[in-house]
Amino acid sequence: MIQQTILLIVENADTDAIDIHMEEESITFRFHSPHEQIDVDKKDFLRHIQNRTGMELKIEQRSGLWLWIYIKKRGNEDDFHCDRR
C-alpha cells in the first residue's frame, strides 16, 4: 500500500519529496504539488486499498501542501470514503 501510494503521488503530483509519518492507526503522506487536483483513483486504487486493508483515505490540500491520510476504517465495512478538501 505504501509503495503504491508513493508511486501514485510521484506519477501525478509533480513533487520531488514525500514525507511519510506512521502511527498506530494512520499513515500520512505529506508533499507539495503545484496541481489544484490530483487524480487519486486510477484503476480503482482507493477501493482496492479499502478492501485489502480496512483503511480509508482522507485528502487535505492547502496552498500547494497536500496531506493524504490513511486511517483505520470505522463503521460499515461496505462504506467507501474519500474526503477531498
Side-chain angles (χ1 to χ4, degrees), residues 9 17-21 28-32 65-68:
I9 292 170
I18 303 169
D19 179 44
I20 302 170
H21 181 78
T28 302
F29 298 82
R30 180 179 161 167
F31 58 94
H32 289 276
L65 176 64
W66 288 81
L67 299 172
W68 289 15

Side-chain angles (χ1 to χ4, degrees), residues 26-85:
S26 68
I27 303 170
T28 302
F29 298 82
R30 180 179 161 167
F31 58 94
H32 289 276
S33 175
H35 300 296
E36 291 293 319
Q37 292 198 324
I38 298 173
D39 182 9
V40 297
D41 205 14
K42 289 189 174 187
K43 301 177 186 173
D44 279 339
F45 176 74
L46 297 178
R47 181 151 321 269
H48 176 74
I49 292 298
Q50 183 240 330
N51 289 339
R52 300 269 303 193
T53 67
M55 299 184 94
E56 59 188 8
L57 177 63
K58 178 179 180 182
I59 298 175
E60 298 179 10
Q61 189 264 347
R62 286 179 233 107
S63 302
L65 176 64
W66 288 81
L67 299 172
W68 289 15
I69 306 164
Y70 287 109
I71 55 176
K72 280 191 177 178
K73 187 162 175 41
R74 291 176 170 70
N76 186 344
E77 297 231 356
D78 293 331
D79 289 344
F80 179 72
H81 174 78
C82 179
D83 183 10
R84 297 179 185 206
R85 291 185 198 186

